[in-house]
Amino acid sequence: MRSASNTFQLFDKIKKVSERATQIGTIEKIESTPIFMNENGINFMVSVAKSLLKRPFNFPKPDGNINCNSSSSNIEETKTINNNENNNNNNNNNNNNNNNNNNNNNNNNNNNNNNNNNNNNNNNNNNNNNTIITEAPIKKKFIDPFLPCDKDLFVQQLFDRHNLVLNKYNVSNHHSIIATKEFENQVNPLNKFDFKAIWKCIKECDMLCFFNCGPNSGASQPHKHVQLLTTPFNYDEPHLKCPIESLFLKYKHLPNESIFQIDELPFKTAALYYDQSKLKSFEQLEFIENENENENNDNYHLSKYFELQYKSLLNHLELNTDNDNNPVDYDLLSTNKEYMCKLKSYNFIMTKDWMFIVPRSAYQSNGISINSVGFTGAVLVRKEEELETLKSNGIISILKDVSTPK
């Protein structure tokens, strides 16, 4: 819990900016009342938040039927349907051609001419059927919400490279965002500069951080950012930062930094607990270096530690890519499966004690979109019908559909 006086400095600032932004209507709170559904030892929090429907998405959404676990090469469902229609039409036209040939044998030259005309018409029909006429989509102009960030949502600058801002469409009180000051791609992995900003917030404000990385992760903006939620999620379970942590406790006896897979979940995961003694040593070292004010000081001991643990999880799950800082073709993301799956997707969750990664294969299942919050054990749906889908299919089944099988 938040205790030290300096801890309150940053969190009090978040609260103060949040109160003012709410009063002037800058924040559009996603109102919801959670219900609880217990599956596999997780007390899931499920909320119907109808206002999610108006939340803007600048990150291209993959087609709802695209799943990187599938071996199918087709991307667009419409292409598959049209191809089937073309094959059926071609078969029908071939049958008509055969009938016409039989008539040619029995009829005179005039009939032959008529049949030839029919064949030409059939050929024209074939050509027409093979041509898929689609209207060019109207390209929405990308408006980067972080360049510049809304002054009414701005909390403060975090070191040299990041800004701390409030989430305009917050799912809980004080829902915040750490965004890079200059544009970086959301598909790029986190680095030591990101972790320096992240650790300041989750340590001083007792928050949980999550990162939606890649086209299937549930990311809404292409500008690199992570999000922060206050903990605990459920005040009736104050020993848990979030519901999913209930599954972590059985692995706490393992040596620190040991990577473990959550056996109770039917999809690939990787998690680890930090070595708290190392964290204390790095904090002391950075404190001493700050006191000395030596220009050669390396004030990234802690953030390098977190980056190393993060990369070990990525390596364990074979999620490392060569996409760092490379340009991304966002127009290609929603139409080219090979390109989309090359930009590997995952959800990353981090607290003061542990970090956790889930590889992603699909953006949604049964019409329900999932981002990192779903893998904390809190699921947001947009309408009552989606809630009924969750109840009938099961939350873990939905999470399995969008993840990677073991």
Side-chain angles (χ1 to χ4, degrees), residues 297-359:
N297 287 343
D298 179 0
N299 290 318
Y300 291 96
H301 300 290
L302 275 167
S303 52
K304 284 181 178 178
Y305 172 80
F306 293 123
E307 183 183 25
L308 179 64
Q309 303 310 314
Y310 163 71
K311 286 185 174 180
S312 70
L313 293 180
L314 291 179
N315 284 330
H316 182 79
L317 294 166
E318 299 180 341
L319 288 171
N320 277 321
T321 66
D322 298 324
N323 300 315
D324 197 2
N325 298 322
N326 289 335
V328 177
D329 188 338
Y330 288 100
D331 292 333
L332 202 57
L333 278 181
S334 59
T335 58
N336 188 298
K337 178 176 178 178
E338 182 179 357
Y339 181 73
M340 183 199 70
C341 295
K342 183 181 178 182
L343 299 175
K344 296 180 181 179
S345 300
Y346 58 89
N347 295 123
F348 171 75
I349 303 163
M350 177 178 180
T351 71
K352 289 192 298 185
D353 302 311
W354 48 262
M355 59 177 62
F356 175 51
I357 294 181
V358 180

Side-chain angles (χ1 to χ4, degrees), residues 39-101:
E39 288 187 32
N40 284 31
I42 309 169
N43 198 22
F44 283 99
M45 299 173 63
V46 182
S47 302
V48 179
K50 296 179 180 179
S51 52
L52 276 174
L53 292 167
K54 63 181 180 181
R55 183 177 61 177
F57 275 77
N58 284 317
F59 201 105
K61 289 184 179 181
D63 183 277
N65 295 304
I66 297 175
N67 191 309
C68 290
N69 290 331
S70 170
S71 60
S72 172
S73 59
N74 288 330
I75 280 291
E76 298 174 8
E77 185 182 11
T78 54
K79 286 184 178 179
T80 303
I81 294 173
N82 285 326
N83 285 337
N84 290 335
E85 290 177 348
N86 291 335
N87 290 334
N88 289 335
N89 287 331
N90 287 334
N91 289 335
N92 290 333
N93 288 327
N94 288 332
N95 290 334
N96 288 334
N97 288 337
N98 290 333
N99 290 333
N100 289 332
N101 289 331

Side-chain angles (χ1 to χ4, degrees), residues 58-59 142-149 161-163 177-187 211-212 219-226 330:
N58 284 317
F59 201 105
F142 168 53
I143 300 176
D144 192 332
F146 307 126
L147 281 176
C149 59
R161 294 170 175 258
H162 297 81
N163 287 326
I177 291 172
I178 300 172
T180 55
K181 292 177 67 176
E182 302 297 329
F183 182 86
E184 295 180 33
N185 281 311
Q186 187 70 4
V187 299
F211 177 47
N212 301 318
S220 61
Q221 301 294 336
H223 185 135
K224 191 179 187 183
H225 66 286
V226 300
Y330 288 100

Side-chain angles (χ1 to χ4, degrees), residues 369-387:
S369 58
I370 300 290
N371 66 7
S372 293
V373 178
F375 292 99
T376 66
V379 181
L380 288 169
V381 295
R382 297 166 297 177
K383 43 194 175 182
E384 295 292 339
E385 292 83 354
E386 292 182 0
L387 177 59

